[in-house]
């Protein structure tokens, strides 16, 4: 399985995966012109990781802004993680946000409501 290392742009987040350690990291703003096309490799990576291993999956997000289509993709990723957790997999998420960005912390809280796996939301001055 190939890892991803997609550089951030003004409208897309940095995405980095580590298959051997089971980590998906995303940080930055997310309002790509075509979110479904942009995030498809990430969704494919998550599905492949969950399908090919029994290792824990760790999601690490430091997303600052998400548009509506990015939110839908995040829901897809979290749905995959939730399904794996319900099937007995070790899955967790840490979402870092800047304290002055209440909108992102509220969004993370909304996502957390739909997840039963460990989901921590932490304030960080720098992301």
């Amino acid at each position: 399985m190939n890892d991803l290392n997609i550089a951030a742009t003004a409208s897309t987040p940095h995405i980095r995966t580590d298959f051997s350690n089971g980590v998906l990291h995303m940080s930055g703003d997310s309002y790509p012109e075509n979110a479904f096309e942009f995030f498809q490799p990430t969704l494919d990576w998550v599905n492949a990781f969950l399908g090919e291993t029994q290792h824990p999956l760790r999601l690490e997000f430091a997303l600052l802004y998400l548009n509506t289509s990015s939110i839908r993709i995040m829901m897809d990723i979290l749905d995959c993680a939730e399904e794996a957790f319900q099937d007995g997999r070790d899955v967790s998420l840490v979402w870092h946000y800047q304290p002055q960005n209440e909108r992102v912390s509220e969004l993370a809280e909304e996502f957390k409501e739909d997840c039963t796996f460990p989901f921590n939301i932490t304030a960080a001055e720098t992301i």
Side-chain angles (χ1 to χ4, degrees), residues 13 15 19 22 36 40 42-43 56 58 64 75 80 90 123 125:
I15 299 173
F19 194 87
F36 297 102
Q40 190 61 54
T42 306
L43 192 54
R58 305 284 179 244
L64 305 173
M75 290 170 53
C80 290
D90 182 358
E125 286 301 321

Side-chain angles (χ1 to χ4, degrees), residues 9-89:
T9 68
S11 63
T12 61
H14 177 218
I15 299 173
R16 183 180 70 248
T17 62
D18 181 344
F19 194 87
S20 63
N21 290 305
V23 177
L24 165 61
H25 173 85
M26 287 194 268
S27 60
D29 290 327
S30 184
Y31 53 97
E33 189 170 311
N34 186 335
F36 297 102
E37 182 179 310
F38 175 77
F39 282 107
Q40 190 61 54
T42 306
L43 192 54
D44 291 345
W45 185 92
V46 169
N47 284 320
F49 179 84
L50 293 171
E52 295 175 19
T53 76
Q54 287 299 312
H55 300 299
L57 174 63
R58 305 284 179 244
L59 306 172
E60 299 174 355
F61 294 170
L63 297 164
L64 305 173
Y65 172 80
L66 291 92
N67 67 358
T68 302
S69 56
S70 295
I71 290 170
R72 293 182 58 87
I73 295 295
M74 288 305 118
M75 290 170 53
D76 291 344
I77 291 169
L78 296 180
D79 285 347
C80 290
E82 179 65 24
E83 184 177 325
F85 183 74
Q86 292 299 319
D87 288 341
R89 296 289 295 272

